[in-house]
Amino acid sequence: MSADSPTLALTRELISRRSLTPDDAGCCALIGERLARLGFQLEWLDREGVTNLWATLGPGSPLMILAGHTDVVPTGPLERWSSDPFQPQVRDGLLYGRGAADMKSGLAAMVCAVERLLGETPLKGSLAFLITSDEEGMARHGTKYVAEVLRARGIRPDYAIVGEASSHLRLGDRIVVGRRGSLGCNLRVHGRQGHVAYPHKADNPIHRLAPVLAELVATEWDRGNASFPPTSLQISNVHAGTGANNVNPAEADVVFNFRYCTESTAESLKARVHAVLDRHLPRYEADWWHTGEPFLTRQGRLIEAAQAAIGEITGLRAEQFTGGGTSDARFIAPLDTEVVEIGPINDSIHKIDEHVSVEDLETLSRIYQNILARLLGTHR
Ligand SMILES: [Zn+2]
């Protein structure tokens, strides 16, 4: 067995720190130590039990951010893991452990990429790391907060790479250039309970709801665009009834969720839903929750550099992807920053026996280095 590569060694060290959201468990301190040795200035923007590291090198332009999170999701039943999720283990060319793919390997690959880059080329521009321990939870005090601080200081990063697991079947086959927004609603329709034999003495909320659901389901919210599929609404829960077959209930409850593209906004969707509700329902309550704005990065130098780097190192033509859930890139993009997510294969994230290919670790690090060299150095 050969010795661990630098990226594998650092990924192992990070996995062995039990960093369940929002506990960073010393991951940022470890990374910060490595960055400080390279001359980075460390600034701790901790808040509400969340660790946030903002580390910068150089005053020049352009400014590139390397971003990620140290927190991991819970393991699930330990007895179902083939090895301890916080004791990294390599088996058959795969590194196992919680956070192996999401996203301690991405962070390790970024740190090692910068270490090599600075040893090889003078930097034209500046580099920053934005690392948080609050991505997998509510994500209120992590990247979102640091982005607010940057905005208040008038800092407008030119580029950002988020090291989330973006790849599908092979490392580098996909980069994420946008994400849909998420908007949900708990709707309660009020009526009046009564005997089914005397409907004129009751007010059946299910009957009031029926045309509302039909209309919501039939509505075309938008047609999508070249980068996104059309906005979709899904009704995920409908509850009504007392259980008795001769009683009209007093209330009916519905839960629905929009996954929306950049052709709509949360406000426009809410207004259109309320127009439908107001037309059909005399009494209702709509309780909205908005968990993410959509973003789509512009087609600029970062995507160009990312595709060229991936092509050079893996031979693949990376597909630009906008599917999946939400990520912290949504907080960075509004700073008018070009942002892409590039990272390992995502098929085991959040699962039992999460893993990453050992070979991919060093390849990913070389992809990051190549992108940085194209945008901030002298790419040969
Ligand atoms: Zn993640």
Side-chain angles (χ1 to χ4, degrees):
M1 276 285 291
S2 56
D4 282 1
S5 75
T7 303
L8 173 56
L10 182 53
T11 307
R12 278 188 198 268
E13 285 194 75
L14 292 170
I15 290 174
S16 62
R17 285 163 170 78
R18 191 180 293 264
S19 54
L20 293 161
T21 317
D23 186 4
D24 170 71
C27 292
C28 274
L30 175 67
I31 292 170
E33 213 174 276
R34 299 270 286 253
L35 297 178
R37 250 182 269 154
L38 297 171
F40 278 79
Q41 301 277 338
L42 308 190
E43 185 179 354
W44 298 96
L45 296 169
D46 298 0
R47 193 163 116 126
E48 304 280 335
V50 169
T51 303
N52 293 314
L53 174 60
W54 172 245
T56 53
L57 180 71
S61 165
L63 167 60
M64 158 75 81
I65 293 184
L66 299 174
H69 61 89
T70 57
D71 58 320
V72 296
V73 294
T75 59
L78 281 177
E79 64 277 10
R80 288 182 52 206
W81 283 72
S82 309
S83 55
D84 187 324
F86 297 105
Q87 284 180 17
Q89 199 180 90
V90 173
R91 297 192 301 272
D92 300 325
L94 299 175
L95 172 67
Y96 289 85
R98 179 54 90 219
D102 184 11
M103 55 162 281
K104 289 176 167 178
S105 49
L107 288 173
M110 285 174 164
V111 171
C112 295
V114 170
E115 287 174 342
R116 279 195 313 274
L117 178 81
L118 295 176
E120 290 173 15
T121 31
L123 200 61
K124 290 190 302 189
S126 44
L127 256 179
F129 276 79
L130 192 178
I131 306 178
T132 183
S133 65
D134 179 27
E135 195 274 345
E136 300 288 6
M138 295 301 288
R140 277 200 302 250
H141 305 298
T143 304
K144 181 172 193 274
Y145 168 64
V146 177
E148 283 163 16
V149 171
L150 298 184
R151 184 186 295 279
R153 292 179 185 174
I155 295 172
R156 196 194 66 77
D158 299 275
Y159 312 115
I161 302 172
V162 181
E164 291 283 8
S166 67
S167 299
H168 177 47
L169 299 173
R170 291 174 61 190
L171 177 69
D173 62 356
R174 267 182 185 170
I175 58 176
V176 173
V177 300
R179 298 262 191 177
R180 291 180 298 177
S182 172
L183 173 71
C185 182
N186 294 328
L187 173 66
R188 168 159 283 194
V189 179
H190 294 283
R192 200 171 63 250
Q193 186 175 321
H195 195 299
V196 293
Y198 303 95
H200 54 286
K201 291 183 174 175
D203 177 0
N204 191 333
I206 300 174
H207 290 205
R208 291 201 180 268
L209 184 58
V212 171
L213 297 185
E215 198 168 330
L216 291 180
V217 168
T219 299
E220 179 183 76
W221 304 98
D222 55 49
R223 293 183 171 183
N225 53 36
S227 304
F228 286 100
T231 291
S232 89
L233 172 141
Q234 290 295 309
I235 297 167
S236 57
N237 288 266
V238 178
H239 292 291
T242 63
N245 62 12
N246 59 356
V247 178
N248 291 337
E251 279 117 21
D253 293 308
V254 182
V255 182
F256 55 88
N257 183 269
F258 282 104
R259 290 300 158 116
Y260 67 100
C261 75
T262 46
E263 297 298 305
S264 294
T265 65
E267 291 317 310
S268 72
L269 294 171
K270 279 188 204 178
R272 290 172 69 189
V273 168
H274 278 284
V276 175
L277 302 181
D278 291 343
R279 205 157 358 94
H280 293 283
L281 304 174
R283 285 188 302 139
Y284 71 87
E285 290 149 40
D287 198 1
W288 293 92
W289 24 277
H290 186 207
T291 48
E293 296 281 354
F295 82 90
L296 178 66
T297 200
R298 63 177 168 276
Q299 296 290 319
R301 292 199 60 205
L302 178 58
I303 289 179
E304 235 172 71
Q307 287 191 317
I310 289 168
E312 183 179 325
I313 290 181
T314 68
L316 296 175
R317 168 85 191 159
E319 175 203 2
Q320 298 187 29
F321 189 66
T322 57
T326 60
S327 85
D328 275 0
R330 71 187 190 271
F331 302 125
I332 300 173
L335 296 170
D336 198 25
T337 301
E338 287 179 43
V339 52
V340 297
E341 298 172 33
I342 304 170
I345 293 171
N346 62 18
D347 68 339
S348 72
I349 63 172
H350 295 208
K351 294 183 182 171
I352 301 281
D353 282 349
E354 180 178 349
H355 59 268
V356 65
S357 147
V358 169
E359 197 189 329
D360 285 354
L361 293 175
E362 224 42 44
T363 309
L364 178 62
S365 190
R366 284 196 288 124
I367 290 171
Y368 291 145
Q369 184 187 353
N370 193 297
I371 298 170
L372 296 177
R374 285 170 189 274
L375 296 171
L376 301 174
T378 43
H379 175 65
R380 285 156 302 192

